[in-house]
Amino acid sequence: MCNGNVQVSKFSLRAALATLSMCLLSACQTTRSMPTVDYVDMNKFMGDWYVIAHIPAWIERNAYNAVESYEMTGDGTIETTYRFNNGSFDGDQKIMRPKGWVVNEETNAEWVMQFIWPIKAEYLIIYLDEDYSKTIVGRSKRDYLWIMAREPKLTGSEYQELVTFAERQGYDISELRKVPQQVK
């Protein structure tokens, strides 16, 4: 029997309000398009990606050990799990489970992610190396960016190459934050 009381965690409510605010504010901006990679093999792209650095959304600005995981479902949606420790390696673990959809099936490089219904956010794969070990996900507004890899660490030269690529795409790399990753 339903008593009519609905409890929403503070984290979920804050995330929903932040996402809604971000989308409403960004709707007023004019942006130039963001080039994506030519093609993404979805089977190769699925799995775990360590977030090496990002221009973060407010919810992840203090993320440690951030990992984004993708799984293709039978109906074509992308089940996503984004987990991180908040504030330190021992901080509370935060988990978000947005759903993704490919919106350009010719390239599979343009997605939307839905954190809360009905709002969908642009998600563009703008860099992907040949062996699917490093990627960069961005947005046309150049407001958020995620540099990710299959391993929790990159060499200094690998990292710098990706940062330089992001800068050439019009990102303000002074906003880039390296995500601390603790290998266990």
Side-chain angles (χ1 to χ4, degrees):
M1 178 171 199
C2 180
N3 66 7
N5 292 333
V6 177
Q7 293 184 349
V8 178
S9 75
K10 288 181 183 178
F11 177 75
S12 298
L13 183 57
R14 286 184 195 143
L17 291 173
T19 303
L20 179 60
S21 298
M22 177 178 62
C23 291
L24 291 174
L25 289 173
S26 63
C28 299
Q29 299 175 358
T30 306
T31 58
R32 67 184 199 274
S33 66
M34 173 72 70
T36 62
V37 298
D38 293 335
Y39 182 75
V40 176
D41 179 324
M42 295 299 287
N43 290 325
K44 288 182 182 179
F45 197 84
M46 297 296 105
D48 292 345
W49 290 93
Y50 292 90
V51 181
I52 304 300
H54 56 190
I55 297 176
W58 76 271
I59 195 74
E60 60 179 332
R61 71 182 178 273
N62 295 313
Y64 284 66
N65 290 333
V67 177
E68 181 114 317
S69 303
Y70 307 107
E71 181 181 341
M72 185 63 78
T73 66
D75 68 0
T77 59
I78 304 159
E79 293 290 333
T80 306
T81 303
Y82 183 50
R83 64 188 182 280
F84 60 89
N85 296 89
N86 193 32
S88 71
F89 291 117
D90 297 323
D92 292 338
Q93 187 172 68
K94 303 294 183 186
I95 300 174
M96 293 183 278
R97 291 191 169 86
K99 288 192 185 284
W101 289 268
V102 173
V103 294
N104 181 336
E105 293 180 2
E106 186 177 321
T107 67
N108 294 330
E110 297 175 36
W111 303 4
V112 292
M113 285 289 193
Q114 185 174 61
F115 288 85
I116 57 169
W117 184 87
I119 299 166
K120 293 180 181 175
E122 181 184 56
Y123 187 95
L124 304 174
I125 301 169
I126 63 172
Y127 176 91
L128 182 60
D129 63 354
E130 288 183 22
D131 64 356
Y132 285 68
S133 66
K134 296 182 286 291
T135 192
I136 300 177
V137 174
R139 291 172 27 99
S140 296
K141 294 177 181 82
R142 289 149 177 89
D143 50 357
Y144 302 108
L145 180 82
W146 296 269
I147 294 174
M148 299 188 289
R150 296 294 189 176
E151 299 294 326
K153 303 282 183 196
L154 293 176
T155 66
S157 62
E158 288 173 320
Y159 177 73
Q160 190 54 54
E161 176 185 325
L162 297 174
V163 169
T164 300
F165 178 88
E167 186 175 35
R168 286 195 316 257
Q169 303 312 306
Y171 278 94
D172 178 358
I173 61 167
S174 71
E175 296 181 22
L176 199 59
R177 173 187 177 263
K178 274 189 128 173
V179 175
Q181 293 284 353
Q182 188 175 53
V183 182
K184 296 180 181 182

